[in-house]
Amino acid sequence: MSSMSATHCAIENCRTTILNKPPGVSFHPCPTTNEMRKRWLRLLKNKCSMLDWYKSQICSKHFEPKFFDSQRKLKENAVPTIFAPSLPKLAVAKSVKDPPRTRIDRLLHKLTQAELTANIKTSMSKLKEPADLDAFVSDDLKCTPDAPKEAVLWLMVKKQEHLNNRLMDLVVQTKKHVEILQNNSEEAKVAKRENEHTIESLRYVVKCLQEKHATLEEQIEILTSVESR
């Protein structure tokens, strides 16, 4: 990979440039002595895609305060020691691509959103609400300690159903808002085109009037010269 230019920090994943650097951040070239180069190389191993000793620069974010003098200049013994922790890219990518592990997870993973919704509705329709459910549910929507498993299960199902209904209402409202915004956008475009057409028409009328005015002025000059004779 090519090295970063002098306008970018050479540290990998550092997005600081001379254009977006915040106040107080400065750029510093690589050291020129062999001893300091060796120290930098040990610290910058796997931190830079490639380091060009003559062009690359490192921003001050990667140096501890002790390496700066009172004028914010880098000391001769300064070495970069501050680096952002790198993300485990391979582990993240693997976790995203890993298929569901259990059999039930694999079966659920195969269903589409519509199929899963229909399956849930069918299962819920077969459940019967316990006759004395209210007696086992407190005002904060929690089952009492002596509530049977059927009551606990039914309360969970009712909560999930209520949540699904809220989400569906939110989706419908969002779609309506999007449609309204799209219609307003189209109306604004039409109005803009009409205004542009009106402006062009008015410009044409003004041009015609100006030409007629010029013609009248010429005729007045001719009549004036004839009368003076």
Side-chain angles (χ1 to χ4, degrees), residues 163-175:
L163 178 60
N164 291 341
N165 291 335
R166 284 190 179 185
L167 292 176
M168 290 304 299
D169 291 341
L170 182 60
V171 170
V172 172
Q173 292 177 6
T174 302
K175 288 183 177 179

mmCIF file with all atom_site columns, all heavy atoms in Angstrom, residues 163-175:
data_model
loop_
_atom_site.group_PDB
_atom_site.id
_atom_site.type_symbol
_atom_site.label_atom_id
_atom_site.label_alt_id
_atom_site.label_comp_id
_atom_site.label_asym_id
_atom_site.label_entity_id
_atom_site.label_seq_id
_atom_site.pdbx_PDB_ins_code
_atom_site.Cartn_x
_atom_site.Cartn_y
_atom_site.Cartn_z
_atom_site.occupancy
_atom_site.B_iso_or_equiv
_atom_site.pdbx_formal_charge
_atom_site.auth_seq_id
_atom_site.auth_comp_id
_atom_site.auth_asym_id
_atom_site.auth_atom_id
_atom_site.pdbx_PDB_model_num
ATOM 1   N N   . LEU A 1 163 ? -47.126 -4.601 21.373 1.00 0.00 ? 163 LEU A N   1
ATOM 2   C CA  . LEU A 1 163 ? -45.927 -3.977 20.818 1.00 0.00 ? 163 LEU A CA  1
ATOM 3   C C   . LEU A 1 163 ? -45.925 -4.062 19.297 1.00 0.00 ? 163 LEU A C   1
ATOM 4   O O   . LEU A 1 163 ? -45.592 -3.088 18.604 1.00 0.00 ? 163 LEU A O   1
ATOM 5   C CB  . LEU A 1 163 ? -44.681 -4.652 21.392 1.00 0.00 ? 163 LEU A CB  1
ATOM 6   C CG  . LEU A 1 163 ? -43.329 -4.138 20.879 1.00 0.00 ? 163 LEU A CG  1
ATOM 7   C CD1 . LEU A 1 163 ? -43.162 -2.659 21.201 1.00 0.00 ? 163 LEU A CD1 1
ATOM 8   C CD2 . LEU A 1 163 ? -42.187 -4.942 21.485 1.00 0.00 ? 163 LEU A CD2 1
ATOM 9   N N   . ASN A 1 164 ? -46.308 -5.218 18.765 1.00 0.00 ? 164 ASN A N   1
ATOM 10  C CA  . ASN A 1 164 ? -46.365 -5.378 17.306 1.00 0.00 ? 164 ASN A CA  1
ATOM 11  C C   . ASN A 1 164 ? -47.368 -4.408 16.684 1.00 0.00 ? 164 ASN A C   1
ATOM 12  O O   . ASN A 1 164 ? -47.117 -3.826 15.622 1.00 0.00 ? 164 ASN A O   1
ATOM 13  C CB  . ASN A 1 164 ? -46.738 -6.814 16.950 1.00 0.00 ? 164 ASN A CB  1
ATOM 14  C CG  . ASN A 1 164 ? -45.631 -7.800 17.281 1.00 0.00 ? 164 ASN A CG  1
ATOM 15  O OD1 . ASN A 1 164 ? -44.479 -7.407 17.436 1.00 0.00 ? 164 ASN A OD1 1
ATOM 16  N ND2 . ASN A 1 164 ? -45.972 -9.068 17.407 1.00 0.00 ? 164 ASN A ND2 1
ATOM 17  N N   . ASN A 1 165 ? -48.519 -4.243 17.353 1.00 0.00 ? 165 ASN A N   1
ATOM 18  C CA  . ASN A 1 165 ? -49.528 -3.315 16.834 1.00 0.00 ? 165 ASN A CA  1
ATOM 19  C C   . ASN A 1 165 ? -49.004 -1.881 16.826 1.00 0.00 ? 165 ASN A C   1
ATOM 20  O O   . ASN A 1 165 ? -49.246 -1.116 15.883 1.00 0.00 ? 165 ASN A O   1
ATOM 21  C CB  . ASN A 1 165 ? -50.799 -3.401 17.678 1.00 0.00 ? 165 ASN A CB  1
ATOM 22  C CG  . ASN A 1 165 ? -51.520 -4.724 17.492 1.00 0.00 ? 165 ASN A CG  1
ATOM 23  O OD1 . ASN A 1 165 ? -51.373 -5.380 16.457 1.00 0.00 ? 165 ASN A OD1 1
ATOM 24  N ND2 . ASN A 1 165 ? -52.293 -5.135 18.489 1.00 0.00 ? 165 ASN A ND2 1
ATOM 25  N N   . ARG A 1 166 ? -48.268 -1.524 17.867 1.00 0.00 ? 166 ARG A N   1
ATOM 26  C CA  . ARG A 1 166 ? -47.689 -0.179 17.911 1.00 0.00 ? 166 ARG A CA  1
ATOM 27  C C   . ARG A 1 166 ? -46.680 0.017  16.784 1.00 0.00 ? 166 ARG A C   1
ATOM 28  O O   . ARG A 1 166 ? -46.651 1.065  16.131 1.00 0.00 ? 166 ARG A O   1
ATOM 29  C CB  . ARG A 1 166 ? -47.003 0.052  19.260 1.00 0.00 ? 166 ARG A CB  1
ATOM 30  C CG  . ARG A 1 166 ? -47.953 0.306  20.413 1.00 0.00 ? 166 ARG A CG  1
ATOM 31  C CD  . ARG A 1 166 ? -47.170 0.770  21.626 1.00 0.00 ? 166 ARG A CD  1
ATOM 32  N NE  . ARG A 1 166 ? -48.030 1.044  22.765 1.00 0.00 ? 166 ARG A NE  1
ATOM 33  C CZ  . ARG A 1 166 ? -47.593 1.553  23.920 1.00 0.00 ? 166 ARG A CZ  1
ATOM 34  N NH1 . ARG A 1 166 ? -46.307 1.832  24.066 1.00 0.00 ? 166 ARG A NH1 1
ATOM 35  N NH2 . ARG A 1 166 ? -48.426 1.780  24.915 1.00 0.00 ? 166 ARG A NH2 1
ATOM 36  N N   . LEU A 1 167 ? -45.870 -1.007 16.570 1.00 0.00 ? 167 LEU A N   1
ATOM 37  C CA  . LEU A 1 167 ? -44.870 -0.910 15.507 1.00 0.00 ? 167 LEU A CA  1
ATOM 38  C C   . LEU A 1 167 ? -45.534 -0.801 14.139 1.00 0.00 ? 167 LEU A C   1
ATOM 39  O O   . LEU A 1 167 ? -45.094 -0.028 13.285 1.00 0.00 ? 167 LEU A O   1
ATOM 40  C CB  . LEU A 1 167 ? -43.940 -2.126 15.554 1.00 0.00 ? 167 LEU A CB  1
ATOM 41  C CG  . LEU A 1 167 ? -43.009 -2.211 16.764 1.00 0.00 ? 167 LEU A CG  1
ATOM 42  C CD1 . LEU A 1 167 ? -42.222 -3.516 16.739 1.00 0.00 ? 167 LEU A CD1 1
ATOM 43  C CD2 . LEU A 1 167 ? -42.041 -1.031 16.788 1.00 0.00 ? 167 LEU A CD2 1
ATOM 44  N N   . MET A 1 168 ? -46.603 -1.568 13.937 1.00 0.00 ? 168 MET A N   1
ATOM 45  C CA  . MET A 1 168 ? -47.311 -1.504 12.661 1.00 0.00 ? 168 MET A CA  1
ATOM 46  C C   . MET A 1 168 ? -47.948 -0.133 12.463 1.00 0.00 ? 168 MET A C   1
ATOM 47  O O   . MET A 1 168 ? -47.924 0.427  11.363 1.00 0.00 ? 168 MET A O   1
ATOM 48  C CB  . MET A 1 168 ? -48.376 -2.598 12.597 1.00 0.00 ? 168 MET A CB  1
ATOM 49  C CG  . MET A 1 168 ? -47.812 -4.010 12.485 1.00 0.00 ? 168 MET A CG  1
ATOM 50  S SD  . MET A 1 168 ? -46.711 -4.216 11.059 1.00 0.00 ? 168 MET A SD  1
ATOM 51  C CE  . MET A 1 168 ? -47.833 -3.854 9.712  1.00 0.00 ? 168 MET A CE  1
ATOM 52  N N   . ASP A 1 169 ? -48.526 0.421  13.530 1.00 0.00 ? 169 ASP A N   1
ATOM 53  C CA  . ASP A 1 169 ? -49.096 1.774  13.438 1.00 0.00 ? 169 ASP A CA  1
ATOM 54  C C   . ASP A 1 169 ? -48.016 2.793  13.094 1.00 0.00 ? 169 ASP A C   1
ATOM 55  O O   . ASP A 1 169 ? -48.239 3.716  12.295 1.00 0.00 ? 169 ASP A O   1
ATOM 56  C CB  . ASP A 1 169 ? -49.765 2.158  14.759 1.00 0.00 ? 169 ASP A CB  1
ATOM 57  C CG  . ASP A 1 169 ? -51.025 1.342  15.023 1.00 0.00 ? 169 ASP A CG  1
ATOM 58  O OD1 . ASP A 1 169 ? -51.566 0.770  14.056 1.00 0.00 ? 169 ASP A OD1 1
ATOM 59  O OD2 . ASP A 1 169 ? -51.456 1.264  16.195 1.00 0.00 ? 169 ASP A OD2 1
ATOM 60  N N   . LEU A 1 170 ? -46.850 2.601  13.698 1.00 0.00 ? 170 LEU A N   1
ATOM 61  C CA  . LEU A 1 170 ? -45.743 3.518  13.418 1.00 0.00 ? 170 LEU A CA  1
ATOM 62  C C   . LEU A 1 170 ? -45.298 3.405  11.963 1.00 0.00 ? 170 LEU A C   1
ATOM 63  O O   . LEU A 1 170 ? -45.002 4.414  11.312 1.00 0.00 ? 170 LEU A O   1
ATOM 64  C CB  . LEU A 1 170 ? -44.576 3.209  14.357 1.00 0.00 ? 170 LEU A CB  1
ATOM 65  C CG  . LEU A 1 170 ? -43.344 4.117  14.232 1.00 0.00 ? 170 LEU A CG  1
ATOM 66  C CD1 . LEU A 1 170 ? -43.718 5.564  14.522 1.00 0.00 ? 170 LEU A CD1 1
ATOM 67  C CD2 . LEU A 1 170 ? -42.244 3.661  15.182 1.00 0.00 ? 170 LEU A CD2 1
ATOM 68  N N   . VAL A 1 171 ? -45.270 2.177  11.449 1.00 0.00 ? 171 VAL A N   1
ATOM 69  C CA  . VAL A 1 171 ? -44.891 1.976  10.045 1.00 0.00 ? 171 VAL A CA  1
ATOM 70  C C   . VAL A 1 171 ? -45.896 2.652  9.118  1.00 0.00 ? 171 VAL A C   1
ATOM 71  O O   . VAL A 1 171 ? -45.523 3.324  8.148  1.00 0.00 ? 171 VAL A O   1
ATOM 72  C CB  . VAL A 1 171 ? -44.795 0.467  9.734  1.00 0.00 ? 171 VAL A CB  1
ATOM 73  C CG1 . VAL A 1 171 ? -44.653 0.234  8.235  1.00 0.00 ? 171 VAL A CG1 1
ATOM 74  C CG2 . VAL A 1 171 ? -43.617 -0.149 10.466 1.00 0.00 ? 171 VAL A CG2 1
ATOM 75  N N   . VAL A 1 172 ? -47.190 2.480  9.427  1.00 0.00 ? 172 VAL A N   1
ATOM 76  C CA  . VAL A 1 172 ? -48.234 3.096  8.596  1.00 0.00 ? 172 VAL A CA  1
ATOM 77  C C   . VAL A 1 172 ? -48.125 4.616  8.631  1.00 0.00 ? 172 VAL A C   1
ATOM 78  O O   . VAL A 1 172 ? -48.210 5.290  7.594  1.00 0.00 ? 172 VAL A O   1
ATOM 79  C CB  . VAL A 1 172 ? -49.628 2.639  9.081  1.00 0.00 ? 172 VAL A CB  1
ATOM 80  C CG1 . VAL A 1 172 ? -50.719 3.414  8.359  1.00 0.00 ? 172 VAL A CG1 1
ATOM 81  C CG2 . VAL A 1 172 ? -49.801 1.142  8.847  1.00 0.00 ? 172 VAL A CG2 1
ATOM 82  N N   . GLN A 1 173 ? -47.916 5.174  9.825  1.00 0.00 ? 173 GLN A N   1
ATOM 83  C CA  . GLN A 1 173 ? -47.776 6.626  9.941  1.00 0.00 ? 173 GLN A CA  1
ATOM 84  C C   . GLN A 1 173 ? -46.549 7.126  9.186  1.00 0.00 ? 173 GLN A C   1
ATOM 85  O O   . GLN A 1 173 ? -46.594 8.170  8.522  1.00 0.00 ? 173 GLN A O   1
ATOM 86  C CB  . GLN A 1 173 ? -47.682 7.020  11.416 1.00 0.00 ? 173 GLN A CB  1
ATOM 87  C CG  . GLN A 1 173 ? -48.964 6.795  12.200 1.00 0.00 ? 173 GLN A CG  1
ATOM 88  C CD  . GLN A 1 173 ? -48.806 7.134  13.667 1.00 0.00 ? 173 GLN A CD  1
ATOM 89  O OE1 . GLN A 1 173 ? -47.770 7.652  14.087 1.00 0.00 ? 173 GLN A OE1 1
ATOM 90  N NE2 . GLN A 1 173 ? -49.825 6.845  14.463 1.00 0.00 ? 173 GLN A NE2 1
ATOM 91  N N   . THR A 1 174 ? -45.467 6.360  9.281  1.00 0.00 ? 174 THR A N   1
ATOM 92  C CA  . THR A 1 174 ? -44.250 6.761  8.576  1.00 0.00 ? 174 THR A CA  1
ATOM 93  C C   . THR A 1 174 ? -44.471 6.764  7.069  1.00 0.00 ? 174 THR A C   1
ATOM 94  O O   . THR A 1 174 ? -44.029 7.675  6.358  1.00 0.00 ? 174 THR A O   1
ATOM 95  C CB  . THR A 1 174 ? -43.095 5.809  8.934  1.00 0.00 ? 174 THR A CB  1
ATOM 96  O OG1 . THR A 1 174 ? -42.900 5.816  10.351 1.00 0.00 ? 174 THR A OG1 1
ATOM 97  C CG2 . THR A 1 174 ? -41.808 6.247  8.256  1.00 0.00 ? 174 THR A CG2 1
ATOM 98  N N   . LYS A 1 175 ? -45.168 5.737  6.565  1.00 0.00 ? 175 LYS A N   1
ATOM 99  C CA  . LYS A 1 175 ? -45.462 5.684  5.133  1.00 0.00 ? 175 LYS A CA  1
ATOM 100 C C   . LYS A 1 175 ? -46.312 6.877  4.703  1.00 0.00 ? 175 LYS A C   1
ATOM 101 O O   . LYS A 1 175 ? -46.083 7.469  3.645  1.00 0.00 ? 175 LYS A O   1
ATOM 102 C CB  . LYS A 1 175 ? -46.176 4.379  4.796  1.00 0.00 ? 175 LYS A CB  1
ATOM 103 C CG  . LYS A 1 175 ? -45.281 3.146  4.846  1.00 0.00 ? 175 LYS A CG  1
ATOM 104 C CD  . LYS A 1 175 ? -46.041 1.901  4.430  1.00 0.00 ? 175 LYS A CD  1
ATOM 105 C CE  . LYS A 1 175 ? -45.130 0.684  4.418  1.00 0.00 ? 175 LYS A CE  1
ATOM 106 N NZ  . LYS A 1 175 ? -45.862 -0.554 4.026  1.00 0.00 ? 175 LYS A NZ  1
#
